[in-house]
Amino acid sequence: MNGSSVLRKHSLKNVLSIFESRFFSSTSEATFETKPFKLHKLENGPSTTVTLSSEDAIKYYKQMQTIRRIETAAGNLYKEKIVRGFCHLYSGQEACAVGMKAMFRDTDSIITAYRAHGWTYLMGVDPFSVLSELTGRKSGNARGKGGSMHMYAKNFYGGNGIVGAQVPLGAGIALAAKYLGTGGVCFTLYGDGAANQGQVFEAYNMSKLWDIPCVYVCENNGYGMGTSSERASASVAYYTRGDYIPGIWVDGMDILAVREAARFAIDYCSSGKGPLVMETATYRYSGHSMSDPGTSYRTRDEIQEVRQTRDPITSFKEKIIGANLVNIDELKQIDKEIKAQIDDAVKRAKADTEIPLSELSGDIYAKPLETKVRGVSPFESLEHIRIGQAVNLN
Amino acid sequence: MAFTISFHKPSALTNTVKILKRSLNTTRVLANKQMTVRDALNSAMDDEMERDERVFILGEEVAMYDGAYKVSRGLYKKYGEKRVIDTPITEIGFAGIAVGAAMAGLRPICEFMTFNFSLQAIDHVINSAAKTFYMSAGLVNVPIVFRGPNGAAAGVAAQHSQCFGAWYSQCPGLKVISPYNSEDARGLLKAAIRDPDPVVFLENELLYGNQYPITDEVLDKDFVLPIGKAKIERKGDHITFVAHSKGVELALDAAKELSSVGIEAEVINLRSLRPLDINTIIQSVVRTNHIISIEQGWPYAGIGSEISAQIMESEAFYHLDAPVIRVTGADVPMPYTKSLEIAALPQINNIVDAAKKLLGV
Ligand SMILES: Cc1ncc(C[n+]2csc(CCOP(=O)(O)OP(=O)(O)O)c2C)c(N)n1
Ligand SMILES: [Mg+2]
């Protein structure tokens, strides 16, 4: 068992309130101790002492629970054959995203791979719009044209289906931040499998040479499809694989640890020191994509063990209830609300319609130089139309 | 079904002996002469690995997971980790390693989980594999097969739905194969593995599970099909349909529909995109005077464009009663939206309509 934080009882009031926590949540702030970080080429790392307000506790709980619910709904929609193609779920990894997002400033950006539903929601997209993208309907975040792997929002550059490709893109987004002087950093997320792609190391090198404010985040969930990290990586100490880039290992099942690491990373990168690597140790409960049962290369016991001992939501829940930041009834109420919200979103995402056929030839170019687009034969001519906002038009 | 093109037709006697042996040794049931494309590919690799120690497979998930699409099922168990190698997700790296191994005497089968990911490795396919023989003035040939599913699958959106037929066919030094059914898959993959040049072998995920009739001859260990020869899948006098991979299925379905209104289309299954069997196409056009090319890839500089240009440059041009028409994927990235995805790909009715227009009916 790892990842459990130790509650530090501040005051008598705190101790007393624990006894009353079933009924009241009277503490507004608590302090926890996270599991130690592992550091690479860093003298000092993130703080292992973490303070959490009851307001934030509720917020993070809500966010993690919402992601879990969205993913459960996505999985069900896939089983109903309403979601087609690929459908990669983030269940088990919620603390990584919520912990990082907790520290984002308006200027910070993120790019990730295809396991993007949760991030899309965190970056401001309504769960209904996430689910409608999955069902391929017009209220989808990308009007149903992108599907599971391709969702976008302000400061969120996707949703990339090509393993590793998002890594240099993230470095480029960070380069733009530096160039434009926004003060922002880019969180560039990739998996333990993607960590081996050559372009990751090319991006590392250039970002170090040029002091680009990029936080490389390797979400190590133990597997790249059916291959365990040990079988794919000569070194599984992903936080050290930037070599000349300092790195931090974080318990990715503890949202508070992730949040502290993100705080540290943002400070570090925006102070002009260049890039940083962060490895979040996490786990994916589902198969790689919905078509993978996920049980041929790992045991059911392994999955069960993680669920029971390291689940990011359950462990956080116990922690915040124990610290009397919230009480059980409050959380039950939240669960109920989220369930109702997602159930409703699912209903609407199923009922929504697809975009019209005219959009087949929509937004191929921001500034189309030809109005006609060839359809499937010379007798099927299409018209180029412009719909999206085109953020870089001028 | 029309005639079959094949090599090495074994004599009746050896054939019988082989059949007897096979029925004793393998689980393949001869009475049931159907085979999926997946099994055809799998058996082709199995045969060639058994035949030649130098043949080995590498790629993502090919060994312990039996292949992302189960095409290499059982081969790791049978041949072990020396010859069936799981790689990390590092296409440019393992494609380069495969090409290097081929330069130094091995016969790699380099699987791309899908050809979309071959873009990560395209430098080694083009610059290392395709050009080395020429650059070395005929000294270092590169016997390698790059294979995997190509083209549009279902509901996987723009980055995972692209046909690379035209891309790879454009490069001299490569041989490019795009099989349709199980016989194609088996005969051509075996030929590709034996070939001394780099071969790009474009499969189609949506055809993997399809069963096609197969003869004893095709099941023979020495059965190979010639690379660069098309097959006439259906005879017809009124119009020629030329297609590859999934496009052949569409062409056959369209031909069937047209037949009910008295139009007999000849369907040419290209099998190989480079070399292109232009002679078979010309001979057909000379008879039918009409031609439609069918492919799922983009129209711009596509396989149909090449066929059209080669017809223009040949005597077949003088036999045309109407322009060459290309039925292709629409000129757009693939949308996830279901109704748009259908509209982005050629359908039977597009071919039927085009044929009727061409023939003025
Ligand atoms: C370049 C490329 N190669 C292969 C694939 C197929 N593929 C999709 S996800 C994946 C596994 C990636 O594993 P990891 O990076 O650990 O991320 P996780 O799925 O665990 O989040 C593979 C091999 C791809 N999409 N792109
Ligand atoms: Mg992984």
Side-chain angles (χ1 to χ4, degrees):
Chain A
M1 162 82 194
N2 49 31
S4 67
S5 306
V6 180
L7 169 65
R8 280 194 186 171
K9 296 171 196 94
H10 278 312
S11 60
L12 183 63
K13 177 173 168 274
N14 238 350
V15 178
L16 285 175
S17 63
I18 287 169
F19 296 103
E20 298 167 343
S21 69
R22 187 71 181 70
F23 309 102
F24 308 103
S25 67
S26 49
T27 312
S28 62
E29 204 172 273
T31 303
F32 302 91
E33 197 65 26
T34 72
K35 202 171 176 183
F37 299 93
K38 292 183 210 166
L39 304 179
H40 170 67
K41 298 212 168 143
L42 283 172
E43 303 258 299
N44 301 304
S47 166
T48 50
T49 308
V50 189
T51 337
L52 178 67
S53 69
S54 66
E55 197 186 324
D56 282 345
I58 289 172
K59 180 170 145 198
Y60 304 153
Y61 179 81
K62 262 188 189 162
Q63 290 178 327
M64 290 199 286
Q65 232 8 339
T66 304
I67 296 176
R68 182 76 51 100
R69 278 268 167 211
I70 290 175
E71 296 300 51
T72 306
N76 290 338
L77 286 167
Y78 183 93
K79 286 177 202 147
E80 290 174 53
K81 296 199 164 34
I82 299 170
V83 173
R84 306 184 309 132
F86 297 120
C87 185
H88 310 92
L89 307 185
Y90 203 55
S91 309
Q93 302 184 217
E94 296 89 349
C96 299
V98 174
M100 275 180 257
K101 176 63 174 70
M103 293 315 301
F104 277 19
R105 303 157 304 173
D106 285 349
T107 47
D108 297 322
S109 306
I110 148 138
I111 186 165
T112 186
Y114 40 79
R115 219 172 280 287
H117 312 159
W119 269 109
T120 310
Y121 149 70
L122 285 179
M123 293 307 284
V125 176
D126 189 75
F128 163 58
S129 184
V130 173
L131 290 164
S132 301
E133 191 55 41
L134 291 170
T135 58
R137 309 300 160 92
K138 70 173 187 318
S139 306
N141 163 254
R143 302 183 66 74
K145 288 170 91 173
S148 164
M149 301 185 288
H150 310 295
M151 301 191 192
Y152 308 83
K154 182 170 188 291
N155 291 349
F156 175 43
Y157 294 86
N160 198 310
I162 306 301
V163 168
Q166 75 279 15
V167 177
L169 296 179
I173 293 160
L175 178 123
K178 185 179 175 181
Y179 191 107
L180 296 170
T182 66
V185 307
C186 182
F187 283 76
T188 300
L189 276 58
Y190 53 96
D192 48 288
N196 300 310
Q197 279 282 21
Q199 56 186 320
V200 172
F201 298 90
E202 298 184 24
Y204 281 171
N205 184 46
M206 283 179 272
S207 59
K208 184 65 185 172
L209 276 176
W210 306 337
D211 284 338
I212 291 176
C214 183
V215 187
Y216 295 99
V217 183
C218 177
E219 286 184 274
N220 179 3
N221 60 12
Y223 300 88
M225 258 185 193
T227 304
S228 67
S229 52
E230 290 78 14
R231 291 210 304 120
S233 299
S235 160
V236 291
Y238 294 100
Y239 69 107
T240 67
R241 287 180 60 173
D243 183 7
Y244 38 76
I245 302 178
I248 308 169
W249 177 95
V250 194
D251 176 6
M253 302 305 253
D254 179 358
I255 185 218
L256 298 178
V258 176
R259 192 187 67 169
E260 280 323 294
R263 187 197 310 276
F264 180 90
I266 290 174
D267 280 352
Y268 181 94
C269 293
S270 40
S271 68
K273 293 189 187 126
L276 192 77
V277 175
M278 183 167 136
E279 172 185 350
T280 60
T282 183
Y283 198 79
R284 84 165 139 72
Y285 291 151
S286 307
H288 165 71
S289 181
M290 283 302 294
S291 58
D292 166 31
T295 45
S296 67
Y297 47 87
R298 55 181 189 181
T299 60
R300 283 178 205 278
D301 286 350
E302 178 184 301
I303 306 167
Q304 219 30 50
E305 154 97 23
V306 179
R307 275 192 190 275
Q308 278 162 8
T309 62
R310 291 171 60 203
D311 184 78
I313 300 179
T314 313
S315 63
F316 185 64
K317 187 173 166 179
E318 284 166 3
K319 207 177 289 181
I320 57 179
I321 289 175
N324 204 25
L325 287 167
V326 294
N327 68 48
I328 290 176
D329 295 328
E330 273 177 283
L331 295 186
K332 277 190 178 153
Q333 185 56 29
I334 291 170
D335 290 349
K336 235 165 95 183
E337 280 164 23
I338 293 172
K339 184 178 179 307
Q341 185 198 8
I342 303 300
D343 284 352
D344 175 61
V346 167
K347 247 185 234 142
R348 289 189 292 140
K350 280 177 165 176
D352 198 18
T353 55
E354 293 186 344
I355 48 174
L357 268 183
S358 58
E359 290 197 34
L360 176 60
S361 46
D363 293 333
I364 303 168
Y365 295 99
K367 183 185 169 195
L369 300 176
E370 295 167 309
T371 51
K372 295 279 176 221
V373 173
R374 195 189 195 272
V376 295
S377 81
F379 315 118
E380 322 267 332
S381 186
L382 313 170
E383 199 76 40
H384 191 290
I385 53 175
R386 281 282 296 106
I387 294 154
Q389 197 191 346
V391 292
N392 299 310
L393 202 54
N394 299 307
Chain B
M1 189 73 75
F3 44 81
T4 311
I5 304 162
S6 64
F7 265 359
H8 306 306
K9 203 179 170 119
S11 73
L13 183 63
T14 55
N15 221 0
T16 324
V17 172
K18 271 180 190 146
I19 288 165
L20 277 174
K21 254 196 190 159
R22 207 172 26 242
S23 53
L24 291 174
N25 291 346
T26 76
T27 51
R28 212 172 281 144
V29 187
L30 282 175
N32 179 12
K33 304 225 176 69
Q34 294 267 325
M35 193 182 226
T36 62
V37 170
R38 178 180 285 110
D39 287 345
L41 294 166
N42 181 273
S43 68
M45 293 195 286
D46 191 358
D47 282 5
E48 297 309 303
M49 289 183 78
E50 208 168 80
R51 180 179 174 269
D52 185 344
E53 270 297 315
R54 298 167 303 171
V55 177
F56 72 102
I57 305 174
L58 81 174
E60 294 155 20
E61 308 288 350
V62 297
M64 289 173 72
Y65 197 71
D66 274 341
Y69 299 98
K70 308 294 170 201
V71 174
S72 55
R73 181 184 279 149
L75 297 179
Y76 169 72
K77 224 183 202 155
K78 182 163 174 190
Y79 295 101
E81 62 184 14
K82 182 181 174 194
R83 297 183 68 196
V84 185
I85 307 171
D86 275 331
T87 66
I89 313 164
T90 53
E91 288 82 4
I92 185 87
F94 72 73
I97 286 175
V99 173
M103 286 173 166
L106 299 184
R107 304 254 157 174
I109 302 171
C110 174
E111 175 174 309
F112 292 122
M113 189 175 284
T114 78
F115 261 92
N116 304 290
F117 316 140
S118 79
L119 285 185
Q120 294 286 324
I122 197 167
D123 182 66
H124 281 308
V125 181
I126 304 292
N127 275 321
S128 307
K131 299 177 185 172
T132 295
F133 191 55
Y134 188 82
M135 294 189 294
S136 67
L139 185 68
V140 184
N141 63 308
V142 184
I144 185 170
V145 177
F146 300 102
R147 52 155 290 274
N150 169 62
V156 293
Q159 289 184 332
H160 285 72
S161 308
Q162 188 176 339
C163 175
F164 291 91
W167 283 56
Y168 288 113
S169 297
Q170 222 249 337
C171 180
L174 290 180
K175 293 170 181 167
V176 182
I177 294 170
S178 181
Y180 156 57
N181 61 15
S182 305
E183 176 182 324
D184 292 3
R186 191 172 143 77
L188 290 165
L189 184 54
K190 284 162 68 69
I193 296 167
R194 294 183 191 189
D195 200 273
D197 287 314
V199 179
V200 170
F201 196 89
L202 305 168
E203 299 156 12
N204 187 305
E205 187 200 325
L206 301 178
L207 297 175
Y208 279 156
N210 285 11
Q211 290 214 325
Y212 294 96
I214 205 148
T215 62
D216 292 346
E217 188 196 348
V218 173
L219 292 175
D220 193 279
K221 292 233 181 284
D222 283 320
F223 174 76
V224 286
L225 285 169
I227 299 172
K229 286 273 175 283
K231 180 186 173 194
I232 297 171
E233 294 282 350
R234 184 185 195 279
K235 279 285 202 188
D237 288 332
H238 301 133
I239 188 164
T240 301
F241 292 162
V242 54
H244 69 96
S245 185
K246 185 93 178 145
V248 176
E249 184 178 75
L250 285 173
L252 287 168
D253 289 345
K256 207 162 144 195
E257 197 171 318
L258 286 165
S259 181
S260 65
V261 294
I263 299 171
E264 295 304 332
E266 180 142 303
V267 177
I268 300 177
N269 168 7
L270 278 175
R271 285 184 164 170
S272 162
L273 303 180
R274 187 186 183 110
L276 184 72
D277 186 1
I278 194 67
N279 287 334
T280 296
I281 300 170
I282 289 172
Q283 279 163 28
S284 178
V285 171
V286 164
R287 266 190 308 106
T288 64
N289 315 112
H290 298 86
I291 180 167
I292 295 177
S293 68
I294 297 136
E295 66 193 301
Q296 289 197 312
W298 288 316
Y300 204 105
I303 297 298
S305 318
E306 180 60 26
I307 290 170
S308 176
Q310 291 202 31
I311 287 174
M312 300 283 272
E313 291 169 348
S314 81
E315 53 155 311
F317 173 70
Y318 302 102
H319 294 268
L320 285 175
D321 286 347
V324 178
I325 295 295
R326 294 170 297 156
V327 173
T328 64
D331 199 15
V332 303
M334 185 63 72
Y336 170 69
T337 321
K338 196 172 181 184
S339 56
L340 269 59
E341 184 186 76
I342 293 167
L345 290 167
Q347 308 296 331
I348 299 167
N349 68 299
N350 302 123
I351 306 169
V352 170
D353 290 352
K356 286 181 176 168
K357 275 208 172 77
L358 226 58
L359 293 166
V361 288

